[in-house]
Amino acid sequence: MQIKFFDCLPLLFSLLFWAGTNATATNFDFQPMARLNKIEVGLSKGEQFGFGQLRGSFKSMTGNINFIVEDPTRSTGRVLLDARALQFGFHKVNLDAHQENWMHSRLYPEISFKLQRLEQCRWEKRILRARAQGSLLLKGVSKKISLPVSIQYLRGERRKYDGKRGDMLYLEGQLPLSRTEFEISPGQMFDLIKDRITVKISLVGCSDRCRPLLPSALFY
């Protein structure tokens, strides 16, 4: 069967398009959308403190995510927090949380998460479910962690928030941590605050450009 040149044009254009888009990564800077970012910290109360949780939060952060739409597994990034900015809403709890035997935030002011890759990626309509693999640095202790996340990519949506051209990225996740593993009052005071810490992450990133349309309704 003879194949005509013009019959091949659609395939050639498609290959050129994918070669161009795969050559670049979209960089998302958290800083412009700082008011929308939030990381919540839940401390489970011990028997002497009553039941329920003490809730604190970081309301600002810096960092970036290089999110590869065509191959999310190659995505990388870093999120930085100032440990001294953690607040629980109660004056005494705020003071205690930053003491030497707890966060010791004066000596260890930096909390960071370095994203190395995304694994087990699957699309559910317009939402990407994955596990973020990386390392968490907290109170000078670095640990490998695996964080389940959901990611939504919205092309050209930045204009709705600050009037600037660009795409938006929403990332949410929840992670259980052990304060003992990070030497936060290890093995002590479990009757007041239990060992388990719950961290809820809600990040909104933006780029300074709009990525070209892809031949899939997922990204339009």
Side-chain angles (χ1 to χ4, degrees):
M1 180 178 64
Q2 186 176 8
I3 301 176
K4 296 181 181 180
F5 173 75
F6 289 104
D7 294 335
C8 296
L9 283 179
L11 177 59
L12 290 173
F13 283 132
S14 178
L15 291 173
L16 287 172
F17 173 81
W18 280 101
T21 55
N22 278 323
T24 60
T26 304
N27 184 286
F28 291 88
D29 184 357
F30 292 146
Q31 193 63 29
M33 298 298 158
R35 69 185 187 278
L36 301 178
N37 295 323
K38 191 172 185 180
I39 293 184
E40 297 180 326
V41 178
L43 304 179
S44 298
K45 297 179 182 179
E47 294 178 359
Q48 291 192 22
F49 213 157
F51 296 97
Q53 282 192 330
L54 287 173
R55 299 183 182 275
S57 66
F58 299 89
K59 294 185 178 179
S60 64
M61 64 204 70
T62 59
N64 64 79
I65 293 180
N66 291 310
F67 183 69
I68 316 295
V69 179
E70 299 78 15
D71 185 4
T73 61
R74 294 167 49 213
S75 299
T76 59
R78 194 179 186 198
V79 175
L80 299 174
L81 300 171
D82 185 342
R84 296 165 295 185
L86 176 62
Q87 297 292 315
F88 286 91
F90 300 97
H91 182 66
K92 188 178 187 310
V93 176
N94 290 338
L95 291 177
D96 290 344
H98 296 284
Q99 294 299 317
E100 181 175 342
N101 61 325
W102 287 89
M103 295 287 291
H104 202 179
S105 56
R106 182 182 60 82
L107 183 62
Y108 303 105
E110 180 180 294
I111 300 174
S112 68
F113 173 68
K114 184 177 181 181
L115 174 64
Q116 297 172 333
R117 63 190 179 279
L118 293 176
E119 293 184 350
Q120 301 176 25
C121 297
R122 70 182 189 281
W123 287 100
E124 296 179 0
K125 295 183 178 180
R126 294 177 180 268
I127 297 177
L128 175 67
R129 309 287 186 186
R131 296 196 72 89
Q133 305 291 346
S135 58
L136 175 65
L137 175 67
L138 175 60
K139 200 180 178 182
V141 179
S142 181
K143 297 281 186 181
K144 297 289 186 182
I145 66 169
S146 178
L147 169 66
V149 296
S150 62
I151 300 173
Q152 188 174 9
Y153 186 106
L154 296 176
R155 181 183 179 277
E157 290 291 308
R158 179 177 179 177
R159 193 175 300 277
K160 295 181 180 180
Y161 289 88
D162 63 3
K164 298 180 181 180
R165 182 176 182 271
D167 297 342
M168 299 286 294
L169 191 76
Y170 294 85
L171 184 149
E172 292 184 339
Q174 181 168 315
L175 177 68
L177 295 176
S178 163
R179 63 179 175 88
T180 296
E181 289 185 358
F182 287 93
E183 299 183 9
I184 301 174
S185 192
Q188 300 178 8
M189 303 178 68
F190 291 147
D191 56 339
L192 295 176
I193 300 295
K194 295 181 180 179
D195 186 61
R196 183 186 177 93
I197 300 174
T198 302
V199 181
K200 293 183 179 180
I201 301 166
S202 179
L203 304 181
V204 181
C206 65
S207 70
D208 58 1
R209 61 187 183 277
C210 292
R211 191 193 43 71
L213 289 173
L214 294 178
S216 169
L218 286 173
F219 309 111
Y220 287 174

